[in-house]
Amino acid sequence: MNSPSENTHNGEGKMARIRAIRSAHPGNLMARYFSEDYFNSLDESKRGRLWRIIATGIENPDSQMGAYAQNSRDYEDFEPLLGPMIRDYHNIPTGHEIGQKHDWSATASRCDLADIDPALNGVSMRVRVGRNLAAFPLPGAMTKAHRLELEALVIEAFTTLKADTQFGGDYHSLTPGSPHAIDADAYRRRVAAHQMFKDMGGDRYLAAAGISSDWPFGRGMYASNAEDFIVWVGEEDHLRIMAMRQGGDLAALFGRLHDGLEKFARLIPAFAHSSRYGYVTSCPTNLGTAMRASLHLPLPRLTEGGRNLERAKKAAQDFGLSVRGAGGEHSDAGHGGLVDISPSARLGVTESGIMQRLYEGTAALWSLEKER
Ligand code: ARG
């Protein structure tokens, strides 16, 4: 077998590794759908591009998806591989037209968790969308110069947003020497407050895709004065735009994000968008709405006091919800069985649909938790 780090694009060694992953890790969707015939049909330049897209899934056999797009065009250019992976992950049958639609209209209707149980009025809620600028490569393929250029461009937009009565705030940069730079302590405090993203180098899936390269250059965050509207710059997607608050009023939370997003979008160049897949994201799991809406729910019974996350995951699945530990992706349940729940679907559903799913799923899960 050739060494995995071989430079040629003929890729015999890599193909052998993918075959091995396919049998040892059936959950790795890249390995499941990779076809040697398809690969061999590509020209030299496309082979090179494909290796970069799937490097993360080869280097991390335990990947669930195993690929990160490097350029917005990748989803069209490599549809024969990425299409089936996306359909499998998002549960969309072959032949069913995806044609992602967007709809935020439900933010105008009443949707308050306090109507389920007054005890839920005070949970920590958060909704984010991923966005990438069409004019730049996706984060995995960006050079350090791209990262700095993109940051400079959004800083200009933030300078305008600063003066806004509802969304005014400040930008905090991790770029060494930036006039907006924050020090290591301030950064750590914001990570602890779940406002800022962690050092991405710690994520081996992102690292293998080149997404965490040049850390911490071009990385930062904008926070509104009330710290309830936040924009991440330079994480897994160019931009992650989010609203967060304690309470129960989901419609208000989603409405806050939508208003801020519309205002901010007017200040920057166009987002990458596809008529089939909606908003283009690095990770195929986030396509479509690119939206993740979540809340922290105490489920002491369903997690057996925080010791059995698997049991809560299983229960939530029936309601279209995913469960993570309260500390985020790959973390355990927190003290008292505090977990993070969010609608699993991002693609083939609308923004309003996600809000309703979160509400209805929470109601169902909560009644299961309280059942005697
Ligand atoms: N790349 C990882 C995998 O394939 C994570 C996928 C989902 N998470 C994410 N942050 N995009 O399992």
Side-chain angles (χ1 to χ4, degrees), residues 56 62-68 205 236 283 285-286 329:
T56 186
D62 64 344
S63 291
Q64 203 188 348
M65 183 54 77
Y68 287 107
Y205 306 94
E236 188 180 308
C283 186
T285 65
N286 285 320
E329 203 169 13

Side-chain angles (χ1 to χ4, degrees), residues 14-91:
K14 285 178 194 151
M15 292 211 256
R17 287 187 75 183
I18 294 173
R19 281 195 293 273
I21 294 169
R22 188 179 302 145
S23 56
H25 296 272
N28 184 320
L29 294 180
M30 178 280 296
R32 185 182 303 168
Y33 291 103
F34 183 87
S35 145
E36 299 188 15
D37 286 345
Y38 169 60
F39 179 80
N40 289 328
S41 75
L42 301 174
D43 65 23
E44 196 66 11
S45 121
K46 275 185 122 185
R47 288 182 188 189
R49 285 173 60 199
L50 188 58
W51 284 138
R52 294 213 42 193
I53 295 168
I54 66 174
T56 186
I58 300 177
E59 285 177 37
N60 300 286
D62 64 344
S63 291
Q64 203 188 348
M65 183 54 77
Y68 287 107
Q70 303 277 311
N71 281 283
S72 317
R73 284 203 338 267
D74 290 352
Y75 289 105
E76 268 100 77
D77 290 355
F78 300 98
E79 167 70 23
L81 172 61
L82 298 177
M85 290 167 59
I86 292 165
R87 285 179 182 276
D88 185 315
Y89 180 87
H90 292 278
N91 249 315

